Amino acid sequence: MFNLEAFALGCLVLVACVLIHALFLMFVAYRSKRELVSAVHKNQIAVIYLLFVSCVLLLLISHMAQIYLWGLALFYFNVIDHFHAAMVYAGSTYTTVGFVIDPLPLQWQLLSVIMAVSGIFSFAWSTSIMFSISQQLFKVQK
């Protein structure tokens, strides 16, 4: 069953999630590049690893913000009646772990697919940034 309202809501939240993630990634990429260049020139290995961990934490915050946004949307539009249940379901679906039984009414189940796509895109994008940063770490270690 196709529900235009579910599709529209899903697309709206997906776009908001992409924008949130893009802002975090731009900050992480810009900040890490500048800091990495400085730390590499000074041969500050501990600073470089600390920077890597801080980038991971910032990306984690981005993912948590997106899960929170999905949970808010599910709760605010009365798709899921309980806030906690909406958050847990959003986290389960966004991460594609799927440990929660689908509580969505039939007409809203398209949101599950859109949430999963949102998470897949964001995790892949985060992975590419972390891979880029780790390449800088390997250059320093050589």
Side-chain angles (χ1 to χ4, degrees), residues 32-97:
S32 68
K33 182 177 180 180
R34 192 176 69 186
E35 296 293 327
L36 273 174
V37 168
S38 174
V40 166
H41 288 305
K42 296 174 185 173
N43 201 25
Q44 297 173 321
I45 303 299
V47 171
I48 293 168
Y49 281 102
L50 185 61
L51 176 63
F52 184 80
V53 170
S54 66
C55 289
V56 169
L57 291 175
L58 283 171
L59 293 176
L60 174 63
I61 291 169
S62 172
H63 290 289
M64 294 305 293
Q66 291 171 75
I67 290 168
Y68 189 77
L69 181 60
W70 277 111
L72 280 176
L74 292 171
F75 179 72
Y76 182 77
F77 288 95
N78 296 314
V79 178
I80 298 178
D81 294 337
H82 295 69
F83 183 70
H84 177 75
M87 288 299 169
V88 172
Y89 181 70
S92 173
T93 305
Y94 176 88
T95 60
T96 68
V97 174

Side-chain angles (χ1 to χ4, degrees), residues 28 51-53 55-56 59 125-135:
V28 166
L51 176 63
F52 184 80
V53 170
C55 289
V56 169
L59 293 176
W125 205 359
S126 291
T127 301
S128 71
I129 292 296
M130 295 316 300
F131 181 77
S132 174
I133 293 170
S134 69
Q135 292 303 303

